Amino acid sequence: MRVSGGTSRFVSKKCRKLRWKPLSDSLQIGSEMFAIGSWDDEENEVTLWKSANNGDFQLVASVEHKGDVTGMCWQTTDLLATSSSAGQANLYKLEHKKLCRIQEWGELHGRGGGGATCVAAYGETLATAGEDGKVNILNVRQSNPVKVYDSADSCSINDIVFPRSSELLTSNMRGQMKLFDLRSNKQEASSVYMLSNDQVAINCLAKHPSQGHIVITGAENGLLAVWDLRQGKHPTTILSAHKAPVSEVKFHPDQPDHIFTCSQGGELWHWNGASIRTAGVHVSAMNGSGSLDTTSSPWLSSEAVKHKVETTSLISQQPLPINSIDVLGHSVLFGGDNEAFYILNNILL
């Protein structure tokens, strides 16, 4: 089955998270394999798929997953981590075309309150957060958490990301981001950032692939916000985006002037920040020493973004939510509550 320049496959389960398998060879242009985690089913699962040259798909591996898959990330090219609404985190290894669970961290988060909501990886370190406001730091080689922030937040944490190896950034349902210094013994956040006084939930986080201090967030009210973690406690730029809550936002891993978003309203958008540069707008930001940093991301240029960013809808609006999106090379992978996944190829950057 083909859909508007791409391919799709019905999988009979609602897709909560979809992630391309990382490239094992730098000469590779795109990945052939990707993982999907399901949700809102009596028996949820994590599946691994391979795309063929003829546009068809092959199910490579499938494994049952206790609870909804709420978060998913590749820790290496063959290690896949998930978080669960049952309150646990899992680590799977791809071996001989099978997904084998090699580690389970049980009861990390309270089951009654929605369990774990997200998982992130940096090197051998994993982090989970939950609706209980708790954060766990895990090492893939250890069965117990390395560090626990029992009261990282007083409300549900929606997403989590490592800006760099020693820092962890969380977003919550009250529109706050909190930055934790993993080297410190303190339980409190080292910095707190605020989206607005309206306490609109920040649903998702994405960090710039090469400049970890640049973060883009998607909110419950459909707005995107660009943050410079080095400066101030409020967004550098706010972009009017979707009419429905933003499900996920992703930087292109190799061309971060491009970002991709999907929404609970069934929308999938490509944002071309490179158009700011080509329009001749001078993009600059003050660096820590007080001098101009002209290599800065165009997303930090608020005036330029308002007038020069090109936004393209990649598909016609879907009737059901699109929950997850991932991008690699010229291919965009996405899926949601209509129980199918889609791949759009040859995306123009």
Side-chain angles (χ1 to χ4, degrees):
M1 182 166 61
R2 296 187 172 272
V3 51
S4 58
T7 53
S8 65
R9 176 73 174 263
F10 183 71
V11 291
S12 305
K13 289 185 184 292
K14 294 180 181 179
C15 302
R16 180 67 174 266
K17 295 292 176 184
L18 301 93
R19 297 289 180 260
W20 285 114
K21 184 177 178 291
L23 303 179
S24 54
D25 186 342
S26 60
L27 296 178
Q28 283 182 272
I29 298 174
S31 179
E32 294 180 335
M33 300 181 77
F34 52 92
I36 300 177
S38 75
W39 81 293
D40 195 26
D41 209 322
E42 290 182 5
E43 293 183 359
N44 290 293
E45 61 185 12
V46 174
T47 52
L48 189 68
W49 295 80
K50 183 175 182 179
S51 57
N53 292 330
N54 62 0
D56 201 4
F57 299 97
Q58 174 191 352
L59 179 62
V60 177
S62 174
V63 61
E64 285 188 13
H65 189 272
K66 185 179 178 182
D68 296 342
V69 176
T70 58
M72 176 186 286
C73 63
W74 288 94
Q75 191 251 324
T76 65
T77 56
D78 60 355
L79 291 178
L80 179 70
T82 66
S83 59
S84 167
S85 61
Q88 74 211 39
N90 305 285
L91 188 67
Y92 302 94
K93 185 170 186 179
L94 175 61
E95 289 184 304
H96 310 298
K97 294 188 176 182
K98 287 186 178 181
L99 279 173
C100 305
R101 188 169 67 186
I102 60 172
Q103 185 72 273
E104 177 187 350
W105 296 273
E107 299 182 1
L108 293 177
H109 302 275
R111 293 185 61 178
T117 55
C118 48
V119 63
Y122 196 109
E124 290 195 343
T125 303
L126 294 173
T128 67
E131 289 195 6
D132 54 5
K134 188 176 173 184
V135 169
N136 294 279
I137 309 299
L138 312 169
N139 185 288
V140 296
R141 300 180 187 274
Q142 298 180 33
S143 56
N144 293 315
V146 177
K147 193 171 189 177
V148 178
Y149 294 89
D150 279 310
S151 301
D153 219 316
S154 57
C155 64
S156 176
I157 297 173
N158 292 337
D159 206 358
I160 196 167
V161 71
F162 287 91
R164 51 183 181 171
S165 61
S166 60
E167 292 179 341
L168 191 67
L169 185 71
T170 66
S171 67
N172 70 19
M173 64 181 296
R174 289 206 295 255
Q176 294 175 318
M177 296 195 307
K178 296 186 178 183
L179 188 67
F180 293 87
D181 185 348
L182 302 181
R183 299 164 298 185
S184 168
N185 292 323
K186 293 181 180 179
Q187 283 279 311
E188 300 80 28
S190 57
S191 297
V192 179
Y193 304 85
M194 194 72 187
L195 179 60
S196 69
N197 294 328
D198 299 333
Q199 296 194 355
V200 176
I202 297 176
N203 291 344
C204 49
L205 299 168
K207 71 163 183 176
H208 191 286
S210 58
Q211 297 173 280
H213 59 276
I214 300 175
V215 172
I216 293 185
T217 61
E220 187 73 16
N221 60 2
L223 293 181
L224 291 184
V226 185
W227 310 70
D228 185 343
L229 299 182
R230 305 170 303 180
Q231 298 179 1
K233 304 299 179 187
H234 296 280
T236 305
T237 310
I238 292 182
L239 299 169
S240 180
H242 300 280
K243 293 179 181 178
V246 181
S247 305
E248 282 191 349
V249 54
K250 292 282 180 181
F251 280 97
H252 191 286
D254 305 315
Q255 300 186 51
D257 286 358
H258 298 264
I259 62 171
F260 296 83
T261 59
C262 61
S263 81
Q264 292 293 291
E267 296 169 314
L268 181 74
W269 290 0
H270 169 208
W271 302 70
N272 182 4
S275 59
I276 301 168
R277 297 189 192 276
T278 55
V281 178
H282 180 65
V283 177
S284 63
M286 300 296 285
N287 64 21
S289 63
S291 59
L292 280 176
D293 174 15
T294 53
T295 62
S296 180
S297 167
W299 300 111
L300 295 181
S301 175
S302 59
E303 286 304 312
V305 168
K306 284 178 186 175
H307 304 294
K308 303 295 182 184
V309 66
E310 293 177 5
T311 309
T312 306
S313 176
L314 295 179
I315 58 168
S316 57
Q317 188 170 348
Q318 303 295 294
L320 293 173
I322 298 175
N323 296 323
S324 187
I325 182 176
D326 202 16
V327 57
L328 192 65
H330 289 277
S331 298
V332 173
L333 168 70
F334 67 97
D337 284 358
N338 66 347
E339 302 188 0
F341 65 78
Y342 303 81
I343 295 179
L344 300 178
N345 295 307
N346 304 317
I347 297 295
L348 296 176
L349 300 176

